[in-house]
Amino acid sequence: ALGKPAVTGSSGFSDVAPSDYYAQAITWASANHLVSGVAEGLFGPTDLVTREQAFTILHQAMPLLGLSSPEPDLTVLDRFADRDQIAEYAMAYVGEFEVRGYLTDSAAGTFRPTDPITRAELINILSNMVDTLVKETTTVTKDVSGSLLISAADGATLKGIRIGGDLILAPGVTKDVTLVD
């Protein structure tokens, strides 16, 4: 969604070597305050990511996507039988995702904060965050029920449509995005 921003420098984590295939991604995520590691100076690149950690990382990316992040009313977490197991640092993030309707996999009434997040759960959350992704310059003429993210560097045209969620312009968009009707 954000393209492939240029990365310079080191990640600052002693367990991430510059030659590791993921080093640039971790360096970028750290420089943009999406990740802070698992302990002082350690990233834990082979560790599993818990659900509360994943929601924290995704929440930290929201401003980069142009999404505002007001403090949610944490009473929304009362629907989770395991609310008291959610780490203090993650409560507001989980609460906001619940309020926005991004969290849709808790039918059993639990959040399971320390369980590893599955690939399916992560993809579902990302799908809930962005309903439509425009990666190439085009004219969009169909309504979008959720959020519309434009990452096409040369922009796009939105013609006669309604967007039910947010209109998000990724930082890599360098040309015009035209709104018609």
Side-chain angles (χ1 to χ4, degrees), residues 49-125:
V49 175
T50 67
R51 291 172 52 83
E52 65 191 4
Q53 290 169 337
F55 277 75
T56 300
I57 293 167
L58 290 170
H59 185 274
Q60 300 300 79
M62 290 174 69
L64 297 174
L65 293 170
L67 294 171
S68 62
S69 183
E71 283 292 318
D73 176 3
L74 295 182
T75 60
V76 300
L77 299 177
D78 291 344
R79 83 173 191 92
F80 300 122
D82 56 357
R83 178 193 199 280
D84 61 328
Q85 296 173 27
I86 301 172
E88 187 70 32
Y89 76 84
M91 282 194 157
Y93 310 143
V94 174
E96 182 170 352
F97 275 59
E98 173 68 12
V99 167
R100 286 178 178 261
Y102 299 161
L103 178 55
T104 58
D105 68 337
S106 298
T110 60
F111 176 67
R112 307 176 320 279
T114 58
D115 284 2
I117 194 162
T118 67
R119 293 164 59 96
E121 289 168 336
L122 183 59
I123 293 303
N124 186 61
I125 293 163

Side-chain angles (χ1 to χ4, degrees), residues 27-62:
T27 299
W28 179 86
S30 177
N32 285 280
H33 311 290
L34 303 182
V35 296
S36 58
V38 295
E40 186 66 35
L42 297 174
F43 181 74
T46 61
D47 293 355
L48 296 175
V49 175
T50 67
R51 291 172 52 83
E52 65 191 4
Q53 290 169 337
F55 277 75
T56 300
I57 293 167
L58 290 170
H59 185 274
Q60 300 300 79
M62 290 174 69

